[in-house]
């Protein structure tokens, strides 16, 4: 089964929709982080917070650069998370954290190697969430249109969902832009 053509963004070509979804996701993630900190303790709060930190960075990347692919957004989120963690080896975040709780929340204070793994978990969770949401949207769109097309000269077997608004044999706008 052929997958629908991808836009440059890899998820949905409308930057406004991506930004709105990323802003909503960032708000939810911050709420989850505050809730986790208020209700859990020990490793659950610490490492869950690490994963949520990377997930928040993932959402912020999409908010700032909505045409980024999910893989690129995850890579940037992971690189920034790891960069902040390795910066903690210098002692600068610890010094700045003594003066500001906000800085401590963003930069942390001491290096902890297991954090690196949990940042990766958060970045992968962001990538997976976007990919699953995109797959659900694609399936939903095909079901909503309800029609399927078969290749020209085909027997009707292996019928593929037709993009909404497309006629048999007509290319979608994305296909025309991409020269397909």
């Amino acid at each position: 089964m052929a997958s629908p053509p991808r836009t440059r963004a890899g998820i949905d070509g409308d930057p406004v929709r991506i930004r709105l979804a990323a802003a909503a996701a960032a708000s939810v993630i911050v709420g989850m982080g505050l809730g986790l900190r208020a209700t859990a303790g020990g490793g659950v709060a610490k490492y869950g917070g690490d994963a949520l930190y990377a997930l928040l960075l993932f959402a912020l990347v999409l908010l700032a650069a909505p045409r980024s692919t999910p893989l690129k957004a995850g890579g940037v989120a992971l690189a920034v998370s790891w960069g902040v963690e390795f910066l903690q080896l210098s002692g600068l975040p610890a010094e700045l954290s003594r003066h500001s709780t906000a800085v401590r929340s963003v930069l942390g204070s001491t290096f902890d190697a297991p954090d690196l793994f949990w940042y990766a978990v958060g970045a992968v969770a962001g990538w997976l969430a976007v990919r699953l949401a995109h797959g659900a949207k694609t399936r939903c769109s095909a079901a909503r249109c309800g029609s399927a097309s078969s290749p020209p000269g085909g027997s009707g077997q292996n019928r593929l969902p037709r993009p909404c608004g497309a006629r048999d044999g007509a290319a979608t706008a994305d296909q025309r832009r991409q020269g397909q």
Side-chain angles (χ1 to χ4, degrees), residues 84-153:
V84 168
E85 190 67 27
F86 283 114
L87 181 64
Q88 292 171 357
L89 291 170
S90 73
L92 179 62
E95 177 62 31
L96 294 173
S97 293
R98 279 185 245 167
H99 305 290
S100 170
T101 304
V103 170
R104 183 178 180 88
S105 296
V106 173
L107 297 180
S109 60
T110 56
F111 178 81
D112 187 24
D115 290 352
L116 300 173
F117 170 76
W118 292 102
Y119 294 141
V121 168
V124 169
W127 174 85
L128 187 61
V130 170
R131 298 310 303 164
L132 289 174
H134 175 65
K137 180 181 176 230
T138 302
R139 286 188 300 276
C140 187
S141 293
R144 185 179 65 236
C145 290
S147 60
S149 61
S150 55

Side-chain angles (χ1 to χ4, degrees), residues 10-102:
I11 43 180
D12 181 44
D14 185 6
V16 173
R17 289 176 122 182
I18 295 168
R19 281 194 168 118
L20 288 173
S27 298
V28 169
I29 293 164
V30 168
M32 289 171 59
L34 294 172
L36 183 65
R37 192 172 268 260
T39 60
V44 171
K46 177 169 180 15
Y47 298 123
D50 290 343
L52 289 172
Y53 180 84
L55 188 58
L56 177 61
L57 288 174
F58 181 93
L60 294 176
V61 168
L62 289 179
L63 183 64
R67 294 198 184 275
S68 298
T69 63
L71 185 60
K72 188 180 289 185
V76 170
L78 186 58
V80 170
S81 300
W82 283 0
V84 168
E85 190 67 27
F86 283 114
L87 181 64
Q88 292 171 357
L89 291 170
S90 73
L92 179 62
E95 177 62 31
L96 294 173
S97 293
R98 279 185 245 167
H99 305 290
S100 170
T101 304

